[in-house]
Amino acid sequence: MKAQLKPRINMEGRTALETVIPLSTPFVVFADPASSCNFKCSFCPTGHRDLIAETGRFNGVMKYEVFQKIVDDLGAFDKPIKVLRMYKDGEPFLNKRLADMIAYAKAAKHIEYIDTTTNGTFLSPERVAPVLEAGLDKINISVDGMTEETYAQFTGVKFDFKKFVGNVKWLYDNKGSCEVVVKIPGELITADQRQEFFDTFGDHCDRIFVENFAPCWPNFDIEEHTGVKISKGIYQQDVGDTDTCPYIFYGYSVNADGLVSSCFLDWGRKLIIGDVRTQSMKEIWNSDKMNALRLQHLEGRRRQNGVCGNCGQLSHCLPDSIDAHRPALLKKFIDVVKPDVNAVAPGGLREVTAVAAE
């Protein structure tokens, strides 16, 4: 097998966050090309049309002009953005201007790296070649089963698996400098299919990994929706506990309609901190709402937040941990940022009685 047996997350050479917080320039920015998806996966909130309808969130693709403003705004920061993640809630290739977006971001010169994640439906040479030519640095490909029957069961669609495998092979043969990552949830394959997965894709990607389902989305019970009992972390690690979210200190996310969330897992739009259509990215990064959320976490009140308090990302998905450094970071944050202590954090607070019951 040519590919490295390695998860999509890069664990090597990570910056110790306690040495850089508070950041004047975010490390990572998510910009969602599409909030809609052609799959109806049972293990993803976006796959549940009824739940999405209840949130009232925009269901469509990001306008090219909105994306241009995002990229232009990012140039106002002191340093380049390390990573632009072109995915969040939906299938990025549903946006027919995805290649144009990548090319525009690459030409800006203040974004160092661009990646995306796809369900693989649209990986035909005609669709993926322009994306590669635009300069995409990494593409994560989600495999949702080794048979068309499994796809039908868990994604709710009829999927041409043989054609998909052929498209992945073409992509790898023509990827240029783009890194190709292939991953599959272990819950969607049998023990025999595990080896079949490696045999099928192992010579046609740069890294490959069997992941686990993870309860990463707040207020979405993946065990209830899939019937799968989760006992390990997403990368097969032991489940731990992280009390202070590190993500809100080094990144934020722009939804497909331009609303900005403090978190890339904000599928229900409960953590909105701004609107890039009327505000600058720098203004939103330094906003009272964003800083109120950071202050809430640094003061040890994360579990009082109605959204953050239910987040499995912090227990199942190998985040950086700044828990041990929280007292020192709180002092530094207050001294440097001078947050408005009266500002209300997105997500709100639970009732005191609910907190006491935990």
Side-chain angles (χ1 to χ4, degrees):
M1 185 172 72
K2 295 179 181 178
Q4 290 182 291
L5 185 60
K6 186 178 179 181
R8 55 192 154 120
I9 189 172
N10 293 320
M11 295 303 294
E12 305 87 0
R14 295 179 72 84
T15 300
L17 293 176
E18 65 272 14
T19 67
V20 295
I21 293 175
L23 285 166
S24 60
T25 301
F27 284 168
V28 180
V29 175
F30 285 77
D32 199 11
S35 59
S36 55
C37 187
N38 58 313
F39 278 13
K40 294 181 285 185
C41 299
S42 59
F43 48 84
C44 173
T46 300
H48 293 262
R49 305 294 193 258
D50 54 341
L51 292 180
I52 299 306
E54 289 175 7
T55 69
R57 86 180 196 197
F58 169 74
N59 197 36
V61 301
M62 179 179 284
K63 292 181 179 179
Y64 184 64
E65 294 75 19
V66 173
F67 182 78
Q68 286 180 305
K69 183 178 183 299
I70 294 167
V71 172
D72 293 346
D73 281 3
L74 294 178
F77 282 104
D78 299 335
K79 299 177 182 178
I81 305 301
K82 290 183 179 294
V83 183
L84 176 64
R85 302 229 133 101
M86 298 194 64
Y87 61 93
K88 182 178 178 286
D89 293 315
E91 169 50 49
F93 278 86
L94 285 176
N95 194 318
K96 295 182 179 180
R97 299 208 67 178
L98 180 62
D100 295 333
M101 290 174 164
I102 294 170
Y104 189 83
K106 274 292 182 180
K109 304 300 183 184
H110 52 258
I111 296 169
E112 296 179 350
Y113 190 89
I114 303 173
D115 63 13
T116 193
T117 295
T118 176
N119 62 31
T121 305
F122 306 104
L123 289 184
S124 65
E126 295 76 20
R127 293 294 299 277
V128 79
V131 170
L132 296 173
E133 292 171 5
L136 183 68
D137 292 293
K138 185 171 79 167
I139 183 168
N140 301 303
I141 303 170
S142 299
V143 182
D144 294 313
M146 291 302 294
T147 67
E148 295 183 0
E149 291 73 23
T150 302
Y151 266 85
Q153 178 183 354
F154 284 93
T155 72
V157 300
K158 184 177 180 180
F159 189 75
D160 190 335
F161 187 75
K162 183 177 180 180
K163 181 179 179 181
F164 166 63
V165 173
N167 284 339
V168 172
K169 291 180 179 180
W170 185 93
L171 167 60
Y172 184 69
D173 290 341
N174 296 273
K175 70 185 185 70
S177 60
C178 180
E179 183 180 18
V180 178
V181 181
V182 176
K183 58 188 180 67
I184 192 171
E187 292 86 354
L188 300 185
I189 51 176
T190 65
D192 291 339
Q193 288 174 337
R194 186 184 183 95
Q195 187 56 52
E196 181 185 354
F197 168 67
F198 291 124
D199 292 341
T200 302
F201 296 102
D203 287 332
H204 309 288
C205 59
D206 296 296
R207 62 172 103 171
I208 191 169
F209 205 74
V210 178
E211 299 183 352
N212 294 324
F213 283 156
C216 52
W217 289 286
N219 303 320
F220 179 80
D221 192 334
I222 192 171
E223 292 185 336
E224 177 184 341
H225 288 293
T226 64
V228 174
K229 182 66 176 176
I230 298 173
S231 60
K232 300 287 287 186
I234 189 171
Y235 302 119
Q236 302 173 14
Q237 82 280 13
D238 291 335
V239 175
D241 194 21
T242 305
D243 195 45
T244 313
C245 177
Y247 300 106
I248 56 176
F249 293 93
Y250 68 79
Y252 56 162
S253 306
V254 187
N255 298 299
D257 58 355
L259 291 177
V260 181
S261 294
S262 60
C263 175
F264 62 99
L265 296 166
D266 183 28
W267 66 274
R269 305 300 185 264
K270 303 293 186 182
L271 297 173
I272 299 298
I273 53 171
D275 188 336
V276 74
R277 294 167 295 187
T278 58
Q279 299 169 274
S280 73
M281 291 293 288
K282 189 172 184 178
E283 176 187 356
I284 298 170
W285 177 250
N286 296 307
S287 66
D288 287 341
K289 286 186 177 180
M290 189 67 169
N291 283 330
L293 185 64
R294 292 167 177 147
L295 182 63
Q296 186 180 67
H297 281 242
L298 287 176
E299 289 181 338
R301 298 184 290 117
R302 189 263 290 184
R303 297 181 191 279
Q304 296 178 28
N305 189 294
V307 181
C308 300
N310 293 307
C311 181
Q313 180 76 11
L314 301 183
S315 56
H316 288 70
C317 298
L318 280 179
D320 304 283
S321 180
I322 56 174
D323 284 354
H325 308 279
R326 194 167 64 201
L329 288 175
L330 174 60
K331 183 179 184 305
K332 184 178 179 183
F333 183 75
I334 292 175
D335 289 345
V336 175
V337 177
K338 297 179 174 58
D340 181 354
V341 295
N342 296 312
V344 178
L349 296 176
R350 296 181 184 179
E351 296 296 330
V352 174
T353 54
V355 176
E358 290 186 341

